[in-house]
Each structure stands twice: as C-alpha cells, then as structure tokens.
C-alpha cells in the first residue's frame, strides 16, 4: 500500500495539460503524479523535463529510450518503473516480441549491437555506485554519437528521479503495467514488490 494516497486528477485543474503528456506516454495518469500533485509546480517541472528528454525530434528512438529507462530502473531496483517503462516502450513502437525477449537482450536477434551496448550503459549508469567506465564509454562511442549519448543518459537520469520517488512512496502499480510486469518480468524475479501490496 502506498505511503501517501494519490489524489484525484481534477484536484488541480491547472495540471490538465501536464497530465495529458503522461496519458500520451502511458495511456493513463500515473499514481506517482497523482501523489506528486500535492505540489503542482513539481508536476509541471517534471513535465517540462520529460518533454525535453523524450523529445520526438531527438536522434534516439522514443521507444528505445523507454527501454533505456527500463534498464536504469532495473539497476535501481524500482519495480514500479520497470513495469511502467515497458508499457511506454510498447506504446512508442517497441514490439511485444522484443519486450518478451528483454531478458535475452545480449543474445536475441531482436536486439542490435548498438542497442546491447546502450542497455549495458543504462544498467551501469543506473547503478549505485555508478559503473560507467572508460571501456564502456569506448563501446558506446563505437555505435552512438555524442548527442545520442546525451539523450540516452537523459533517459537514465529522468528515471533516476522516478525510481527514488516511487520506491520511497511505495506507489501503487496500476493494472496495465502490472500485467506487463507479470507477462515479461516475472521470469527474472519481478514481483511488483511494495507496489502491489
């Protein structure tokens, strides 16, 4: 059970356009933002950062940025964000087959060498202590430009905030991400944890 209950989406009408961003990303307004709206400026600021990191005019595929977010969340251990990021990846063009093969990303033909190294990077960047080293950066630069690396790290960092928020709040997991977690993540030990009590 969440440490703080979400409050109704219409509690702060000025947040309607901010909530719309997340409805487009996930198909619903997440409980994390319904809790966060106790401080409306935080929701607004988070919306601005999300739009910047997940800019459709960027060079890195939007669906793949959500996979980056998933691996960063996996490193941080946030089961809420692990499931949410897969829902968002699917909505933004990553096939269900590719998601189903996420535990085999290192060997699956559904993942390219560039994707593999970026997912390794997300795991390393999302770890505490940070595990990004010169060898990993050299591998990244073989496949990704400096601008693309900035976008990839932006996705890791955006979810770093969400990982801390949702694990500290024990945010209740909504139905569609819970279903995705049960389908894709349970074989790797995912249970939903504190987010499904």
């Amino acid at each position: 059970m969440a440490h703080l209950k979400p409050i109704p989406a219409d509690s702060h009408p000025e947040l309607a356009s901010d909530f719309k961003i997340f409805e487009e990303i996930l198909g619903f307004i997440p409980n994390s933002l319904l809790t966060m709206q106790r401080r409306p400026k935080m929701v607004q600021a988070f919306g601005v950062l999300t739009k910047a990191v997940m800019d459709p005019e960027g060079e890195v595929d939007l669906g793949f940025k959500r996979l980056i977010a998933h691996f960063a969340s996996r490193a941080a251990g946030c089961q809420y964000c692990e499931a949410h990021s897969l829902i968002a990846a699917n909505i933004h063009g990553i096939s269900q087959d590719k998601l189903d093969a996420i535990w085999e990303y290192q060997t699956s033909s559904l993942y390219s060498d560039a994707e593999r190294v970026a997912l390794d990077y997300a795991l390393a960047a999302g770890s505490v202590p940070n595990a990004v080293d010169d060898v990993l950066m050299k591998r990244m630069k073989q496949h990704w430009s400096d601008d693309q690396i900035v976008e990839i790290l932006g996705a890791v960092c955006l979810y770093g905030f969400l990982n801390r928020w949702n694990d500290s709040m024990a945010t209740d997991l909504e139905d569609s991400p819970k279903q995705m977690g049960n389908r894709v993540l349970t074989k790797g030990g995912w249970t939903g944890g504190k987010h499904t009590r």
Side-chain angles (χ1 to χ4, degrees):
M1 178 181 290
H3 297 307
L4 294 179
K5 289 290 182 192
I7 58 177
D10 60 1
S11 299
H12 293 280
E14 72 274 20
L15 295 179
S17 62
D18 298 288
F19 286 152
K20 187 172 189 275
I21 296 166
F22 297 95
E23 285 180 296
E24 290 171 359
I25 291 171
L26 292 166
F28 57 90
I29 303 169
N31 285 329
S32 54
L33 294 182
L34 295 176
T35 302
M36 191 185 298
Q37 72 173 317
R38 287 177 169 83
R39 288 292 171 255
K41 289 180 181 178
M42 288 178 65
V43 172
Q44 291 168 332
F46 188 72
V48 169
L49 181 59
T50 298
K51 285 194 300 189
V53 171
M54 299 299 180
D55 184 356
E57 295 180 10
E59 296 178 27
V60 180
D61 176 76
L62 287 177
F64 187 67
K65 284 188 200 180
R66 271 56 182 220
L67 286 184
I68 293 291
H70 169 78
F71 276 75
S73 297
R74 187 186 294 181
C78 180
Q79 295 192 46
Y80 181 90
C81 292
E82 286 179 60
H84 266 239
S85 55
L86 292 187
I87 287 290
N90 192 233
I91 288 171
H92 290 88
I94 302 295
S95 72
Q96 189 63 54
D97 286 345
K98 192 166 186 169
L99 295 179
D100 289 342
I102 200 162
W103 291 102
E104 295 83 35
Y105 80 98
Q106 284 290 356
T107 56
S108 171
S109 62
L110 297 172
Y111 289 86
S112 69
D113 288 342
E115 290 172 327
R116 288 185 185 100
V117 71
L119 297 175
D120 288 346
Y121 178 81
L123 280 171
S127 295
V128 176
N130 186 290
V132 176
D133 60 17
D134 291 342
V135 173
L136 182 53
M137 283 306 299
K138 184 176 180 181
R139 288 178 56 215
M140 280 292 285
K141 290 179 178 183
Q142 290 172 351
H143 296 280
W144 301 94
S145 71
D146 290 356
D147 290 351
Q148 290 169 329
I149 291 170
V150 167
E151 285 187 49
I152 289 167
L153 185 55
V156 170
C157 294
L158 178 72
Y159 270 74
F161 176 85
L162 289 173
N163 297 156
R164 297 294 180 240
W165 181 272
N166 289 304
D167 267 351
S168 297
M169 286 288 181
T171 308
D172 290 333
L173 192 59
E174 304 84 359
D175 286 339
S176 60
K178 188 183 302 181
Q179 291 170 11
M180 180 67 82
N182 287 334
R183 175 179 175 149
V184 175
L185 300 176
T186 53
K187 68 178 169 181
W190 185 92
T191 62
K194 64 175 87 174
H195 307 287
T196 58
R197 289 187 266 153

